[in-house]
């Protein structure tokens, strides 16, 4: 069944594809590369060719798996909660800014900018101090973002 294939896809393939994705701020090209790979694998699992003109969203619904962008955001927000609750060196590194000369153009996208954007997009509270509440809020936001995975 496709649901079981979707579960196996998330457990084995997506976890390898998204290894340590909670710690980096992906660029647009990084996200598009990951998304292309994810979509091609989901087409392969469903035995659908690109010429069949089936949308990727419908394939994700068939497999009952969330979109890759929401999975990356969920992982990043969970890691953010871990960092904020930590009292050691990790939390101090969040506020650290290295002295440097500013170059031309827009500065590089930082991990913290990406987290702020995720917090705003997912309407999350800014305080992840209570671990159980934080994780349940993330899970509810994930189900709201991807209604076809409500039972997961």
């Amino acid at each position: 069944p496709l649901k079981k294939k979707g579960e196996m896809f998330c457990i084995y393939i997506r976890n390898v594809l998204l290894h340590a994705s909670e710690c980096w701020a992906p660029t647009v090209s990084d996200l598009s590369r990951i998304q292309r790979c994810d979509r091609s694998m989901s087409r392969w699992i469903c035995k659908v060719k690109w010429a069949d003109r089936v949308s990727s969203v419908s394939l994700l619904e068939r497999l009952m798996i969330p979109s890759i962008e929401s999975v990356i955001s969920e992982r990043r927000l969970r890691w953010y909660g871990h960092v904020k609750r930590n009292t050691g060196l990790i939390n101090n590194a969040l506020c650290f800014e290295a002295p440097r000369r500013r170059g031309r153009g827009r500065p590089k996208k930082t991990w913290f900018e990406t987290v702020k954007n995720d917090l705003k997009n997912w309407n999350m509270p800014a305080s992840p101090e209570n671990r159980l509440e934080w994780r349940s809020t993330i899970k509810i936001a994930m189900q709201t973002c991807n209604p076809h995975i409500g039972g997961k």
Side-chain angles (χ1 to χ4, degrees):
L2 286 178
K3 183 178 177 183
K4 190 57 90 174
K5 287 181 180 181
E7 288 176 14
M8 294 297 124
F9 174 68
C10 285
I11 292 170
Y12 296 111
I13 298 169
R14 263 198 180 170
N15 277 338
V16 171
L17 187 65
L18 298 178
H19 177 70
S21 64
E22 56 270 358
C23 300
W24 44 270
T27 61
V28 174
S29 64
D30 292 336
L31 282 176
S32 64
R33 188 178 309 119
I34 290 171
Q35 192 176 43
R36 270 194 316 268
C37 181
D38 187 65
R39 287 179 177 176
S40 66
M41 286 184 193
S42 62
R43 285 183 184 282
W44 178 71
I45 290 170
C46 292
K47 296 182 176 133
V48 173
K49 293 181 182 147
W50 187 78
D52 296 341
R53 309 296 288 174
V54 178
S55 72
S56 298
V57 175
S58 65
L59 292 177
L60 293 178
E61 288 175 0
R62 284 185 200 174
L63 294 171
M64 296 188 74
I65 57 176
S67 67
I68 196 84
E69 299 91 0
S70 59
V71 173
I72 291 173
S73 295
E74 177 193 18
R75 286 172 170 234
R76 195 169 29 241
L77 288 173
R78 285 180 60 191
W79 181 251
Y80 172 70
H82 172 70
V83 168
K84 287 301 272 187
R85 283 188 300 274
N86 193 322
T87 57
L89 195 58
I90 293 175
N91 200 0
N92 294 340
L94 188 63
C95 302
F96 179 74
E97 187 152 338
R100 63 178 186 265
R101 285 185 46 156
R102 183 154 160 21
R104 294 179 56 181
R106 187 192 184 285
K108 290 193 178 211
K109 183 167 131 182
T110 64
W111 177 81
F112 195 60
E113 276 182 38
T114 311
V115 169
K116 282 184 189 176
N117 195 19
D118 288 342
L119 290 171
K120 187 177 84 175
N121 290 343
W122 285 41
N123 297 324
M124 297 288 290
S127 174
E129 299 305 322
N130 183 353
R131 181 179 180 271
L132 295 175
E133 184 181 318
W134 179 252
R135 289 195 60 166
S136 66
T137 306
I138 291 173
K139 192 175 283 194
I140 290 169
M142 180 75 163
Q143 289 173 355
T144 305
C145 182
N146 300 289
H148 58 274
I149 62 160
K152 239 180 174 183

